């Protein structure tokens, strides 16, 4: 790879100031009965004693004397179990990869630095409620305490550090608040639409990304679409290329962007009026990438006034999906459009000025030093317009582009939001927490008093003009003028029908003033929601087992619709495929041969249909077709299929069936009775840096099983655009019995620990494949009975 490796020396002064002295480790024995291993450590940063009880799944149950110390314990535990994962993420966000991995990473570091907040960090911290800020600092102190512990005893370091010759970085709260995350968002969609318009082919955009809600696109006044190109995305294109480690590096994945309709999550909340127990049930399974680091770490935080358990994002304080002793909560993406691309005219006489509000404004400039292993430091000039970071600056063309993004606005860090949600006691006290949550979310709620609620949270921009669908001129005519907060976004409290669900479908209420404030147009095909709604509407005695079954439901509405269109008199060559699909139940079961055939035929139809209706010059832009569009054309082909659309459709369908059968034979053998969807749809988890041979040897992949489901079944399992591997889906699943908390269940793929030597490295893998949900223990006696290890942290 040509990467120059250099050891990043530890700052011993930092580690001495935050040192952790391990003073005892012993296995207690009492009255002849073996007790869980007990470990004692002295830590700097905690205010009081912290007890950590690990259960049989490696879930830490953290018992502290204060709320802040409970979050300290969470930070300590996530660093104990996932140190390299969170350290690697911290380096990426800070733009400090090249310092240890070499020159090939410098462009990426520069792009990340561009999206560091340039406002008043002190003001950001001061604006945070004292208790929330203290808990955030405590979480960070817990991370640093574990880092200090492994510095004092390098034998505790995860294997990556010795292989790469590096050491973990200490964390800084100011750095975390400054880091706002560089992401391309939907700005490549804006560029694609502009380029299609320049070709006179804007109508093709609806084939790939139909607007939901329906909307008439209008090119912004003053935008020359013929001049728009990928160069306008500038520094953001670095993020789509991946890092030099290899294709498995966890950055924005080009394959995933081609299959954008696969993304999503499911959540539903059922009121006690429709459950067998009379208590609400809340279920949530966020759909995230599968194949690299696990996106959730489960923990239980208890202290006076705090009792919360569930899945958190490693490196982010608090619990994202879980329950307190008072209420359960879950979340799915609401798809607010939070970023716009601005095209700037540069002053020909001075390219450090751009046209705005009838005059010339000077860019704000900051210099960032990118340190590079094995090479001289690189000084990057970072520019900012009134809109935000300048991602492209081309004096030769008198052109630049800038990004307006919610994440770069004051108060939009989001790092403290989960803390505030976890500290709340009820629906009313959640509202200040919602104000700290910038990312667009359907928030689900159910409490022990029987109340249920849905609230859209997140920050939405108020645009002077425009709808966010195209790049816009940066001359001031399309600037943002404010933002919409949660209290002006859709919500429902104790809805009359007794249940509600979100699965990334368009759930904007009909009475919302969307035309005045268009929030987004990127809601997903509604197939998952439609199936969930069908099941929930038919159950007035819903129970935990029903929610578990629905989470693993593999009914495919697109498959059922395709079955209804199968030719009644297929050609002899297509007869075998039609026969197998016609008698199939439309379920994407892992052990189903017909499901495998359907997936292959579906892809063959998409390829042929795209080639038939998308001109060659536009195929690099229209890279996939929406399932609803495909099914619509199969049902009612139009003139885009030629002079005889029905005959062309029939021929396309017939060829796809023949080709699909032949491909299935090549992939799975000559005997259709032996075909299985799980044979193709494998679940493989490997280290994100496994392109480095030593990492691959130290971290054997977790493999061996396949899965049912696809992107459009409630049991979401994304399908690789390049092959058939499962690339994402519901890696964390949770069903909460509200008020009878020990009945709640969960799964978290592949396990709590990221170290192969741990018994919790892959212990959830087979239960996850088999849909065997496990208890989410909450009662103290149940936890103690299942304890496998205990750690006592005492303050220095």
């Amino acid at each position: 790879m040509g990467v120059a490796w250099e050891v990043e020396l530890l700052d011993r002064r930092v580690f001495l100031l935050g040192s952790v002295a391990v003073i005892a480790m012993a296995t207690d024995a009492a009255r002849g009965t073996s007790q869980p291993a007990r470990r004692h450590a002295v830590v700097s940063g905690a205010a009081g004693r912290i007890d950590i009880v690990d259960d049989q799944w490696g879930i830490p149950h953290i018992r502290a004397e204060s709320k802040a110390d409970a979050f300290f314990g969470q930070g300590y535990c996530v660093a104990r179990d996932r140190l390299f994962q969170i350290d690697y993420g911290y380096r990426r966000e800070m733009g400090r990869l090249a310092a240890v991995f070499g020159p090939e990473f410098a462009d990426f570091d520069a792009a990340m630095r561009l999206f560091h907040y340039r406002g008043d960090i002190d003001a950001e911290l001061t604006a945070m409620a004292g208790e929330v800020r203290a808990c955030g600092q405590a979480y960070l102190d817990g991370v640093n305490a574990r880092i200090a512990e492994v510095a004092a005893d390098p034998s505790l370091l995860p294997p990556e550090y010795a292989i790469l010759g590096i050491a973990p970085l200490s964390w800084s709260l100011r750095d975390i608040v400054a880091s706002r995350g560089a992401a391309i968002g939907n700005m490549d969609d804006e560029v694609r639409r502009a380029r299609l318009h320049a070709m006179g082919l804007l109508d093709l955009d609806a084939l790939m990304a139909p607007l939901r809600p329906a909307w008439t696109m209008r090119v912004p006044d003053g935008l020359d679409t013929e001049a728009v190109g990928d160069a306008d995305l500038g520094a953001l294109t670095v993020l789509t290329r991946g890092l030099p480690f290899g294709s498995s590096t966890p950055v924005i994945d080009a394959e995933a962007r081609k299959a954008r309709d696969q993304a999503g999550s499911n959540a539903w909340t059922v009121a006690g009026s429709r459950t067998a127990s009379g208590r609400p049930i809340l279920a949530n399974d966020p759909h995230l990438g599968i194949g690299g680091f696990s996106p959730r770490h489960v923990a239980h935080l208890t202290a006076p006034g705090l009792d919360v358990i569930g899945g958190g994002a490693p490196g982010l304080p608090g619990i994202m999906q879980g329950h307190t002793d008072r209420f359960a909560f879950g979340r799915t993406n609401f798809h607010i459009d939070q970023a716009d691309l601005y095209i700037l005219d540069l002053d020909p006489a001075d390219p450090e000025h751009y046209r705005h509000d009838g005059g010339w404004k000077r860019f704000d400039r900051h210099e960032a030093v990118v340190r590079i292993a094995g090479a001289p430091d690189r000084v990057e000039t970072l520019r900012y317009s009134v809109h935000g970071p300048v991602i492209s600056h081309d004096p030769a063309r008198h052109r630049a582009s800038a990004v307006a993004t919610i994440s770069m606005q004051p108060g939009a860090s989001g790092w403290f939001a989960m803390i505030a949600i976890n500290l709340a006691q009820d629906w009313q006290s959640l509202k200040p927490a919602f104000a700290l949550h910038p990312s667009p979310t359907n928030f689900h709620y159910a409490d022990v008093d029987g109340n249920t609620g849905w609230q859209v949270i997140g920050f939405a921009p108020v645009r002077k003009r425009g709808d966010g669908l195209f790049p816009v001129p940066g001359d001031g005519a399309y600037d943002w003028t404010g933002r919409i907060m949660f209290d002006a976004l859709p919500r429902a409290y104790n809805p009359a029908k007794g249940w509600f669900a979100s699965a990334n479908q368009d759930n904007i209420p009909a009475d919302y003033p969307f035309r005045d404030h268009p929030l987004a147009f990127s809601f997903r095909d509604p197939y998952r929601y439609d199936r969930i709604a069908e099941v929930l509407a038919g159950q007035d005695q819903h129970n935990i087992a029903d929610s578990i079954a629905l989470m693993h439901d593999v009914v495919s509405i697109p498959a059922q619709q395709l079955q209804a269109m199968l030719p009644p008199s297929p050609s002899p060559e297509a007869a075998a495929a039609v026969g197998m699909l016609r008698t199939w139940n439309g379920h994407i079961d892992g052990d189903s041969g017909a499901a495998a055939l359907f997936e292959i035929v579906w892809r063959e139809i998409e390829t042929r249909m795209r080639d038939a209706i998308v001109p060659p010059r536009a195929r690099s832009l229209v890279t996939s077709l929406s399932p609803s569009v495909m099914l619509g054309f199969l049902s009612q082909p139009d003139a885009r299929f030629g002079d005889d659309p029905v005959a062309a459709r029939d021929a396309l369908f017939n060829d796809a069936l023949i080709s699909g059968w032949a491909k299935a034979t090549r992939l799975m053998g000559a005997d259709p009775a032996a075909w299985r969807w799980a044979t193709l749809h494998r679940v493989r988890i490997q280290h994100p840096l496994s392109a480095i041979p030593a990492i691959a040897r130290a971290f054997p992949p977790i493999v061996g099983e396949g899965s049912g489901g696809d992107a459009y079944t409630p049991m979401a399992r994304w399908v690789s655009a390049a092959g058939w591997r499962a690339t994402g889906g519901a890696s964390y699943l949770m069903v909460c019995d509200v008020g009878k908390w020990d009945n709640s269940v969960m799964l978290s793929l592949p396990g709590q620990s990221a170290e192969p030597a741990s018994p919790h490295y892959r212990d959830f893998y087979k239960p996850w494949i088999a849909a065997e949900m496990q208890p989410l223990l909450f009662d103290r006696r149940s936890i103690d009975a299942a304890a496998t290890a205990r750690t006592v942290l005492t303050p220095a």
Side-chain angles (χ1 to χ4, degrees):
M1 289 173 26
V3 176
W5 306 102
E6 180 176 283
V7 175
E8 180 175 311
L9 297 178
L10 299 176
D11 185 335
R12 294 296 180 184
R13 291 169 297 173
V14 171
F15 286 122
L16 287 172
L17 287 171
S19 64
V20 178
V22 179
I23 61 173
M25 184 180 293
T27 300
D28 297 329
R31 298 181 180 87
T33 301
S34 178
Q35 298 295 314
R38 185 182 298 273
R39 177 174 172 272
H40 298 263
V42 176
V43 295
S44 179
R49 171 176 166 144
I50 303 170
D51 289 88
I52 302 168
V53 180
D54 291 295
D55 67 20
Q56 74 270 35
W57 295 108
I59 296 171
H61 300 264
I62 301 156
R63 299 164 180 171
E65 298 169 2
S66 68
K67 297 172 187 175
D69 273 358
F71 284 93
F72 180 103
Q74 186 192 20
Y76 178 90
C77 288
V78 76
R80 178 197 70 182
D81 296 336
R82 307 282 186 87
L83 180 56
F84 185 79
Q85 177 182 357
I86 64 172
D87 178 47
Y88 176 58
Y90 184 77
R91 288 178 191 273
R92 290 179 61 229
E93 293 299 315
M94 293 300 109
R96 296 175 67 177
L97 291 175
V100 293
F101 297 130
E104 294 168 313
F105 295 79
D107 287 344
F108 184 89
D109 283 354
M112 298 304 288
R113 301 277 189 92
L114 184 61
F115 285 82
H116 285 186
Y117 183 65
R118 301 298 168 183
D120 188 340
I121 298 295
D122 289 327
E124 294 284 291
L125 292 171
T126 301
M128 198 62 54
E131 185 176 54
V132 173
R133 185 173 66 250
C135 291
Q137 180 66 59
Y139 177 91
L140 183 148
D141 290 341
V143 171
N144 284 338
R146 177 61 179 179
I147 291 172
E149 186 173 59
V150 299
D153 182 0
S155 68
L156 299 174
L157 278 167
E160 296 98 333
Y161 291 98
I163 292 170
L164 301 176
I166 64 174
L169 297 174
S170 289
W171 288 26
S172 158
L173 186 59
R174 294 179 65 85
D175 284 348
I176 284 172
V177 172
S179 172
R180 298 300 173 90
I184 201 165
N186 67 343
M187 285 174 282
D188 58 341
D189 295 334
E190 297 177 21
V191 169
R192 182 187 70 245
R193 294 186 188 104
R195 292 180 63 188
L196 286 171
H197 177 268
M199 295 177 181
L201 299 172
L202 182 57
D203 61 306
L204 296 182
D205 194 68
L207 303 180
M208 179 175 178
L211 300 184
R212 301 184 182 95
W215 191 259
T216 300
M217 287 192 281
R218 182 175 180 272
V219 176
D221 294 337
L223 177 69
D224 179 5
T225 57
E226 291 188 358
V228 175
D230 288 344
D232 292 314
L233 294 171
L236 292 178
T237 60
V238 175
L239 305 179
T240 66
R241 292 200 299 264
L243 291 173
F245 292 125
S247 61
S248 61
T249 303
V251 295
I252 295 171
D253 187 284
E255 176 183 290
R257 290 202 60 78
K258 291 178 183 178
R260 64 189 62 222
D261 275 336
Q262 300 195 64
S265 299
N266 299 331
W268 54 86
T269 306
V270 183
S273 60
R274 294 185 64 83
T275 67
S277 67
R279 297 183 299 273
I281 291 174
L282 186 148
N284 192 193
D285 56 353
H287 304 164
L288 303 163
I290 294 173
F293 291 133
S294 174
R296 289 291 179 267
H297 180 264
V298 185
H300 182 190
L301 287 64
T302 57
L306 173 69
D307 200 354
V308 62
I309 189 171
L316 184 73
I319 302 302
M320 298 190 75
Q321 287 102 356
H323 69 79
T324 71
D325 55 336
R326 296 289 306 164
F327 63 87
F329 56 98
R331 55 195 290 122
T332 64
N333 193 352
F334 182 72
H335 297 279
I336 295 174
D337 181 357
Q338 296 186 312
D340 285 343
L341 181 65
Y342 287 84
I343 306 300
L344 309 178
D345 294 330
L346 298 181
D347 183 353
D350 183 357
E352 293 304 318
H353 289 82
Y354 62 98
R355 191 187 308 279
H356 190 266
D357 276 350
W360 298 104
K361 278 194 171 68
R362 186 171 182 81
F363 291 115
D364 290 334
R365 290 162 47 112
H366 296 263
E367 288 192 346
V369 178
V370 177
R371 290 187 161 76
I372 304 173
D377 294 348
R378 197 168 99 184
V379 178
E380 290 284 335
T381 298
L382 309 178
R383 296 176 176 85
Y384 300 85
S385 71
V386 296
H387 315 94
V390 175
I391 56 175
S392 174
H393 186 256
D394 187 352
R397 297 177 63 204
H398 310 307
R399 184 182 183 89
S401 55
V403 173
T405 174
I406 284 292
S407 66
M408 290 292 284
Q409 293 195 351
S413 165
W415 198 73
F416 296 93
M418 291 304 108
I419 299 172
I421 286 172
N422 296 167
L423 295 177
Q425 297 297 311
D426 54 24
W427 183 252
Q428 191 64 31
S429 61
L430 276 165
K431 293 179 179 180
F434 293 160
L436 302 177
H437 195 289
S439 60
T441 300
N442 290 291
F443 188 86
H444 284 240
Y445 169 93
D447 67 29
V448 294
D449 296 322
N451 300 302
T452 61
W454 163 68
Q455 170 73 61
V456 175
I457 56 179
F459 302 170
V462 177
R463 299 175 173 91
K464 189 184 297 185
R465 295 174 64 191
D467 50 24
L469 290 173
F470 286 89
V472 292
D475 58 7
Y478 290 87
D479 286 5
W480 292 1
T481 59
R483 62 192 185 197
I484 301 169
M485 301 295 283
F486 77 94
D487 52 358
L489 293 173
R491 72 185 69 86
Y493 192 66
N494 291 326
K497 70 178 181 180
W499 66 269
F500 51 90
S502 61
N504 313 107
Q505 82 283 8
D506 174 10
N507 58 349
I508 299 176
D511 60 353
Y512 182 79
F514 185 85
R515 186 156 293 279
D516 297 330
H517 301 295
L519 297 173
F521 300 94
S522 57
F523 294 97
R524 307 303 187 197
D525 276 303
Y527 301 122
R528 284 183 288 111
Y529 173 78
D530 289 347
R531 173 58 180 168
I532 292 166
E534 176 188 16
V535 171
L536 292 180
Q539 294 176 338
D540 58 7
Q541 293 290 300
H542 188 81
N543 59 37
I544 296 294
D546 291 330
S547 268
I548 295 171
L550 185 51
M551 278 184 161
H552 297 93
D553 187 289
V554 290
V555 171
S556 169
I557 292 177
Q560 293 175 338
Q561 293 179 355
L562 185 75
Q563 280 182 299
M565 302 177 196
L566 288 169
S569 301
S571 70
E573 296 85 356
V578 170
M580 177 177 262
L581 292 174
R582 195 186 304 282
T583 57
W584 174 47
N585 62 6
H587 295 195
I588 312 295
D589 287 308
D591 61 359
S592 168
L597 178 62
F598 162 74
E599 297 288 349
I600 296 169
V601 168
W602 180 268
R603 188 171 290 183
E604 293 293 311
I605 292 171
E606 180 181 17
T607 299
R608 285 166 168 73
M609 188 175 289
R610 189 175 73 96
D611 289 348
I613 63 180
V614 178
R617 61 194 174 109
R619 288 176 192 163
S620 64
L621 298 174
V622 183
T623 56
S624 63
L625 300 181
S626 165
S628 58
V629 167
M630 289 172 58
L631 290 165
F633 278 133
L634 285 176
S635 175
Q636 294 183 312
D638 63 18
R640 280 176 280 195
F641 283 78
D643 294 336
D644 189 343
V646 172
R649 184 272 318 274
D650 291 347
L652 182 154
F653 204 170
N654 185 72
D655 290 347
L657 288 162
I658 295 169
S659 177
W661 184 270
K663 186 168 288 187
T665 301
R666 289 196 302 272
L667 291 170
M668 294 178 288
D671 181 8
W675 295 353
R676 300 288 184 270
W677 173 227
T679 301
L680 303 179
H681 200 39
R682 309 303 287 174
V683 181
R684 177 186 177 91
I685 300 170
Q686 62 189 24
H687 196 289
L689 308 191
S690 60
I692 300 170
I695 294 285
R697 288 193 297 270
F699 292 84
I702 300 171
V703 293
E705 304 292 341
S707 174
D710 65 13
Y712 309 109
T713 56
M715 189 183 85
R717 300 285 188 269
W718 310 345
V719 183
S720 168
W724 305 100
R725 182 174 62 87
T727 58
S731 54
Y732 175 77
L733 305 91
M734 172 193 76
V735 181
C736 294
D737 187 342
V738 178
K740 198 79 169 177
W741 299 117
D742 264 15
N743 291 342
S744 302
V745 292
M746 57 77 64
L747 282 171
S748 185
L749 182 74
Q752 284 283 94
S753 175
E755 296 193 38
S758 168
H760 306 300
Y761 179 63
R762 57 172 296 160
D763 53 343
F764 275 123
Y765 180 71
K766 287 195 173 181
W768 185 87
I769 292 289
E772 296 171 353
M773 302 285 279
Q774 301 300 316
L776 184 60
L777 299 178
F778 193 67
D779 177 76
R780 188 181 184 110
R781 288 173 297 181
S782 301
I783 294 163
D784 288 342
T788 59
R790 294 177 181 268
T791 302
V792 178
L793 306 180
T794 54

